[in-house]
Structures are given as C-alpha cells and as structure tokens.
Amino acid sequence: MRRLPLICLLALFPGSAFAQNIQTVPMTKISYLENGWSGNGLAIHVSGVGIDGCPAANNKFALSADHPGYDTILALALSAQAQDADIELIVDKGNCLFGDRTRILSIRLYD
C-alpha cells in the first residue's frame, strides 16, 4: 500500500490540530477584556506585540463560548487582569472569529 504524503492527510482532516497554524503570543499583559456582542464570547486585547493573520489589529484575540476550555480560559483571563499578571496566548493564526480577531486556543498565566 502506498503511503499518502503528509500534506494529503492534512487536507483530509482540516479541523485537526495538524492543520492549525498554532503560535504563541510573546509574554504580555491584558489591556482589556470585552464580551461578545452577538453572543457569549470573549475578546482579549493585549498590550504587547501580537500575531498577524486576521484583519483585526495583531493584539486583538477572540474566544468563542463553544470552545471546550472557555470557562477555564475566562477565569484565567479575569485573574490575570485583576493581578496585572503576565500571560501568553496560544492562538490559531489565520483562524478569525468575531470582529476578525485571531482565535485563542489556550492561555498561560504567570505570576
């Protein structure tokens, strides 16, 4: 049996982690948080340099309420803002959500 090239496998599973362009936003602080206007969601704006790939400014990110880690990420973001703590965002570059912001996959909270 011939082996399919990796690129073919990625095309078969476009929603998989393999197809995502996962990048980490350098350590930064949250400038402000914003709720979703058209439903339950979260926008995080950071003070540092972000990731290009969506039409919104590179320091604007979004999280949909249907993300499996939504509640945890929201709690960590609120804690980070309250403590003025450093964070890193793990994002899916080029995957844009409401307001054309880059999609958040995860958050790292530092003290």
Side-chain angles (χ1 to χ4, degrees):
M1 178 176 187
R2 293 184 61 178
R3 294 183 186 177
L4 291 174
L6 180 59
I7 193 72
C8 291
L9 291 174
L10 293 177
L12 293 173
F13 303 103
S16 73
F18 296 110
Q20 294 174 340
N21 190 0
I22 298 171
Q23 294 196 357
T24 301
V25 175
M27 195 175 292
T28 186
K29 295 192 183 293
I30 294 176
S31 296
Y32 67 92
L33 300 170
E34 183 179 0
N35 68 306
W37 288 24
S38 60
N40 198 13
L42 176 68
I44 297 179
H45 301 244
V46 299
S47 59
V49 175
I51 299 287
D52 291 321
C54 288
N58 71 3
N59 66 336
K60 296 182 178 187
F61 304 92
L63 180 67
S64 175
D66 63 1
H67 185 290
Y70 177 80
D71 292 334
T72 304
I73 293 170
L74 173 60
L76 288 170
L78 290 169
S79 179
Q81 187 178 38
Q83 297 175 40
D84 195 32
D86 290 325
I87 63 162
E88 287 179 337
L89 293 175
I90 294 81
V91 300
D92 187 2
K93 180 180 178 179
N95 188 341
C96 310
L97 295 178
F98 53 90
D100 289 327
R101 296 172 177 97
T102 301
R103 178 177 175 245
I104 298 169
L105 299 174
S106 183
I107 187 171
R108 293 181 183 137
L109 173 61
Y110 295 91
D111 58 3

